[in-house]
Amino acid sequence: MNNPVQLDLFATDEPEPILNGMYYERSTRLFVSYVKGRRHFEIAPSRCLGDKAWKEKTMRERAI
């Protein structure tokens, strides 16, 4: 008689997405730049050079 094998139906073979680009980090309230998944630099929203519309869109859509 064979032993039963339990399958993990929710396991995925896909790796976590690697962060690239500028994100807004809610916990620190800073814009953070990631390059190939590594934190590159961070800047306060008041010192960031983007216009107000870009900052608001980034805060909404790319918050981590």
Side-chain angles (χ1 to χ4, degrees), residues 19-30:
L19 295 178
N20 258 334
M22 187 68 82
Y23 295 86
Y24 180 72
E25 191 174 54
R26 289 186 197 126
S27 61
T28 61
R29 297 182 183 162
L30 296 172

Side-chain angles (χ1 to χ4, degrees), residues 3 15 19 25 27 31 38 42 47 57 63:
N3 292 333
L19 295 178
E25 191 174 54
S27 61
F31 285 103
R38 296 185 68 187
E42 55 191 38
R47 299 196 61 202
K57 181 180 178 188

Side-chain angles (χ1 to χ4, degrees), residues 17-63:
I18 296 175
L19 295 178
N20 258 334
M22 187 68 82
Y23 295 86
Y24 180 72
E25 191 174 54
R26 289 186 197 126
S27 61
T28 61
R29 297 182 183 162
L30 296 172
F31 285 103
V32 181
S33 172
Y34 283 90
V35 177
K36 296 183 180 178
R38 296 185 68 187
R39 192 182 193 103
H40 187 63
F41 70 90
E42 55 191 38
I43 189 166
S46 60
R47 299 196 61 202
C48 190
L49 297 177
D51 63 348
K52 186 176 181 180
W54 177 85
K55 290 178 191 178
E56 290 174 355
K57 181 180 178 188
T58 303
M59 286 178 176
R60 262 192 334 271
E61 296 177 4
R62 295 183 67 112

